[in-house]
Amino acid sequence: MIKYNPNHWLSVIFRTKKGETLSLLFPLMCLIGGYAFIIIFFEKEVLHLPDNSSFKNIPILHAVLGGVISLLLVFRTNSAYDRWWEGRKQWGELTNQSRNLAMKLNAILPAADTHHRHFFRKVISAYAIALKKHLQSPASDWELFDKDLTEAIGQGIDRSRHVPNQLAAILFQQMNKLNKNQQISDAQLLFVKDELQSLTHVCGACERIKNTPIPFSYSVFIKKFIFGYVVTLPFGYMFTLGYLGIPIIVFIFYVLASLELIAEEIEDPFGGDNNDLPTEKMALNIRHNVEDLLQA
């Protein structure tokens, strides 16, 4: 995620970054510009259409369709931002519940019980890191994660299965074992139940965001609508603006297509794009908080 100061207008306006929409859309912008040039060239140099041509009425259609496409793009970007913000709230919930669980375990476990304190420090921290990797890609680098966790729990994690679920189950099993061995009471087990359950609740909510993209037909329709709107613009501008309409048409395409690209980027907030959530930083923050709270 990119850090910036929204109060510094000049630094934001003139800042460029890798993967910016301009660089991604540049080939299409050149194509649209060349297409507009051909249409306007034929009208000006070859066809010489009369002033009463029916093509002169096309800008009226563009005015109507412009309002429609604006509403569609507003809904598109709002729905994408809602998904991004929902992802941020879920990771905020994971941070809070991890801290609460660590604080409660710190109060329950004796200070001399270094073994169990070390166990919960590692597993609670590992859950956030595992969830980050689980949401990003199955090809994530798990090697350091495996080594660190195996040291704490005495066993490996099967990465072909759902890793966050395995860790949540290990936490539940350990708490149940402590209860059966009468190291914690039934009341203390209930005391931490909500925080333990909240881990899987957060995981399920994040999976819902990631695995339920915007309906395909809606996404395709917006792209086709933008394309159809832009390719008809030269027929409306060729009479009033002539060749000056070419950069205007390219700019209109850039604005409309950029909004769609931004929406596509932020609707999956758990990836590795510049505008995605800093889940790596949040997972490390959880680890530092838990380790601080559960010091042996």
Side-chain angles (χ1 to χ4, degrees), residues 129-200:
I129 298 172
L131 180 59
K132 166 196 169 291
K133 293 178 178 293
H134 172 71
L135 294 172
Q136 283 191 341
S137 170
S140 297
D141 179 17
W142 293 85
E143 298 303 322
L144 183 60
F145 173 85
D146 287 345
K147 181 180 178 181
D148 191 44
L149 187 59
T150 302
E151 177 188 347
I153 66 177
Q155 66 185 64
I157 293 292
D158 185 358
R159 285 187 272 121
S160 65
R161 296 165 54 207
H162 196 292
V163 177
N165 278 354
Q166 293 180 68
L167 293 176
I170 288 171
L171 284 171
F172 272 99
Q173 290 167 1
Q174 186 64 32
M175 291 301 300
N176 189 53
K177 181 179 178 181
L178 289 173
N179 178 250
K180 285 185 176 181
N181 294 338
Q182 297 184 346
Q183 293 176 275
I184 63 172
S185 65
D186 292 342
Q188 289 174 326
L189 182 61
L190 291 173
F191 186 51
V192 299
K193 183 188 72 172
D194 290 342
E195 284 74 21
L196 289 171
Q197 290 179 335
S198 69
L199 299 180
T200 53

Side-chain angles (χ1 to χ4, degrees), residues 22-283:
L22 180 60
S23 60
L24 294 174
L25 292 173
F26 187 75
L28 275 176
M29 291 168 63
C30 293
L31 185 63
I32 292 294
Y35 165 79
F37 173 81
I38 292 172
I39 297 297
I40 295 173
F41 175 82
F42 267 86
E43 191 282 324
K44 292 293 183 183
E45 311 298 338
V46 179
L47 299 179
H48 302 291
L49 294 176
D51 292 340
N52 60 354
S53 172
S54 58
F55 282 108
K56 281 198 168 184
N57 296 322
I58 291 182
I60 299 175
L61 176 64
H62 290 147
V64 175
L65 292 180
V68 175
I69 202 170
S70 297
L71 291 175
L72 287 173
L73 286 173
V74 166
F75 174 78
R76 177 77 171 98
T77 52
N78 282 347
S79 63
Y81 180 77
D82 284 343
R83 293 164 60 86
W84 187 91
W85 183 240
E86 176 65 19
R88 180 61 186 89
K89 288 195 295 184
Q90 292 301 327
W91 271 81
E93 179 71 8
L94 179 62
T95 301
N96 293 338
Q97 295 297 350
S98 297
R99 290 170 177 166
N100 290 338
L101 180 58
M103 283 189 287
K104 289 182 177 182
L105 289 171
N106 181 57
I108 292 172
L109 297 174
D113 190 357
T114 57
H115 172 72
H116 288 110
R117 284 177 172 269
H118 177 74
F119 174 88
F120 285 112
R121 269 205 315 270
K122 292 297 182 181
V123 179
I124 295 173
S125 302
Y127 188 89
I129 298 172
L131 180 59
K132 166 196 169 291
K133 293 178 178 293
H134 172 71
L135 294 172
Q136 283 191 341
S137 170
S140 297
D141 179 17
W142 293 85
E143 298 303 322
L144 183 60
F145 173 85
D146 287 345
K147 181 180 178 181
D148 191 44
L149 187 59
T150 302
E151 177 188 347
I153 66 177
Q155 66 185 64
I157 293 292
D158 185 358
R159 285 187 272 121
S160 65
R161 296 165 54 207
H162 196 292
V163 177
N165 278 354
Q166 293 180 68
L167 293 176
I170 288 171
L171 284 171
F172 272 99
Q173 290 167 1
Q174 186 64 32
M175 291 301 300
N176 189 53
K177 181 179 178 181
L178 289 173
N179 178 250
K180 285 185 176 181
N181 294 338
Q182 297 184 346
Q183 293 176 275
I184 63 172
S185 65
D186 292 342
Q188 289 174 326
L189 182 61
L190 291 173
F191 186 51
V192 299
K193 183 188 72 172
D194 290 342
E195 284 74 21
L196 289 171
Q197 290 179 335
S198 69
L199 299 180
T200 53
H201 291 168
V202 170
C203 179
C206 291
E207 288 176 333
R208 168 175 52 81
I209 295 170
K210 181 175 180 62
N211 299 328
T212 313
I214 190 170
F216 176 75
S217 58
Y218 185 82
S219 179
V220 170
F221 175 75
I222 290 180
K223 290 179 174 61
K224 290 182 177 179
F225 197 168
I226 292 173
F227 180 77
Y229 180 80
V230 172
V231 297
T232 58
L233 285 175
F235 296 101
Y237 285 144
M238 62 185 180
F239 293 103
T240 56
L241 297 177
Y243 292 107
L244 183 61
I246 297 174
I248 295 176
I249 292 168
V250 171
F251 179 73
I252 292 173
F253 169 76
Y254 168 72
V255 172
L256 297 178
S258 292
L259 288 173
E260 172 64 12
L261 281 179
I262 292 170
E264 287 179 354
E265 182 176 341
I266 67 174
E267 71 178 356
D268 179 10
F270 308 118
D273 296 327
N274 288 323
N275 291 311
D276 288 336
L277 292 172
T279 51
E280 175 78 27
K281 181 179 179 181
M282 287 187 280

